[in-house]
Amino acid sequence: MKYFTIEELTRSATAERLGIVNTPDVKIIENLTLLTDKLLDPLRELWGGPLRVTSGYRCPALNRAVGGVVNSHHLRGMAADLVTTANTAASHRQLMQRLRESGLRWTQAIMERNRRGATWLHVSYDPASLRGEVLSRMA
Ligand SMILES: [Zn+2]
């Protein structure tokens, strides 16, 4: 863990607003640490500038509240949603490109966009399935 903390990978404005206690257990912390060491930190290093986590671990109540899919890697502490400092679709595409050229391993990398036009890069790391999938979808 170099550039990211467990705190920022579990903090959630939605959880705070709704009074959801989004506290990770030991196994989740282990998964978040692996995600960071294997994927987030090396990607941050390659990117050469700050990356902000907008969503990391989600307990089931939080995942439901944000409309996450039922089998989401966020539930196991294996995924993070990242935005760049510029926070534009173009910079998020660049970040995806950097990842694809990196030689790193990952499970899924998804360019996500919501109805209001906000974009972010969802990345996940499940050591049992490092399939390197690249997708884009409406969230
Ligand atoms: Zn996500």
Side-chain angles (χ1 to χ4, degrees):
M1 306 278 297
K2 182 175 176 187
Y3 294 104
F4 301 90
T5 63
I6 295 296
E7 205 274 324
E8 89 180 285
L9 288 162
T10 56
R11 188 196 308 139
S12 161
T14 303
E16 281 161 29
R17 186 163 48 80
L18 299 176
I20 295 168
V21 181
N22 192 47
T23 306
D25 64 18
V26 173
K27 181 63 194 167
I28 299 289
I29 291 174
E30 214 176 274
N31 290 342
L32 288 169
T33 304
L34 195 66
L35 168 71
T36 303
D37 290 345
K38 298 289 191 185
L39 189 55
L40 302 186
D41 274 346
L43 180 59
R44 162 66 180 77
E45 195 85 45
L46 283 168
W47 182 246
L51 295 173
R52 189 162 57 86
V53 175
T54 57
S55 185
Y57 169 61
R58 296 175 195 157
C59 67
L62 176 58
N63 193 58
R64 276 192 299 275
V66 300
V69 294
V70 291
N71 59 348
S72 171
H73 284 109
H74 287 283
L75 287 163
R76 290 188 285 161
M78 292 179 170
D81 296 340
L82 301 171
V83 295
T84 61
T85 307
N87 202 359
T88 58
S91 70
H92 296 148
R93 279 193 297 271
Q94 274 176 1
L95 182 60
M96 172 73 101
Q97 193 55 35
R98 199 65 60 86
L99 176 64
R100 296 179 73 167
E101 294 163 356
S102 68
L104 292 169
R105 312 218 35 212
W106 67 89
T107 301
Q108 287 186 312
I110 310 178
M111 272 294 300
E112 296 192 294
R113 175 187 293 273
N114 69 16
R115 283 180 193 81
R116 287 173 296 173
T119 59
W120 60 91
L121 181 65
H122 164 107
V123 292
S124 62
Y125 191 91
D126 177 351
S129 176
L130 295 170
R131 53 188 189 268
E133 204 167 10
V134 171
L135 301 164
S136 63
R137 75 176 171 213
M138 285 295 290

